[in-house]
Amino acid sequence: MQPRLKTKYEEQVLPELKKEIGRDNAHSLPKLTKIVISMGLGEASRDSKLIDQAQDMLSIIAGQKAARRKATKSISQFRLREGTEVGVMVTLRGARMYEFLDRLVALALPRVRDFRGLNPKGFDGAGNFNMGLNEQYVFPEVDPDRFPNQQGMNIVMVTTAKDDDEGRILMRKLGLPLRKPGDTGGRRR
């Protein structure tokens, strides 16, 4: 069975992108290629039980097993040795990617406290979108009793967009609630 968001992309978003961007070739239009979710564990990386918990939690959230990441360099100021496990990450493609994005937009983001939209400055110049979540409890499948440690995560949505404007159009069409440019989201500058 095809994910709901992939069906929406093929039936609604692609025709709208053709009109808005002005290209007829469907292969030249921006599309989502992968979503990378990562958790840097910082101080928790010294405790292997916390790394196991983070790996289990990210596996539950993503729907596939998370990989452990090791430090590539030693940094003495952080008391970090090369080869020490410092985080977990998972790369989603295909159906799992669309399922995760659908759950993120429909279930997780509305549960974020004081949520006023995602920062539109999260694009990297090549049309890819980066965002962070401060806590994992916004996902309904995470049990707070099983995972008592609050842990944030970074989510990167990689697209085939040529620039940030195309990426922004694609993300808005897929349902990501981006704030309007100039809106600080309730924070003062």
Side-chain angles (χ1 to χ4, degrees), residues 98-117:
Y98 284 105
E99 289 288 340
F100 173 78
L101 185 59
D102 197 14
R103 280 187 293 123
L104 178 72
V105 171
L107 298 174
L109 290 179
R111 293 176 61 168
V112 174
R113 264 183 259 130
D114 298 331
F115 183 71
R116 292 187 176 92

Side-chain angles (χ1 to χ4, degrees), residues 18-44:
K18 282 182 183 180
K19 286 180 191 168
E20 201 163 329
I21 295 175
R23 291 196 296 256
D24 286 335
N25 187 348
H27 297 292
S28 72
L29 295 172
K31 67 177 177 234
L32 206 55
T33 54
K34 65 182 175 180
I35 295 178
V36 180
I37 312 163
S38 60
M39 288 180 171
L41 298 174
E43 292 294 318

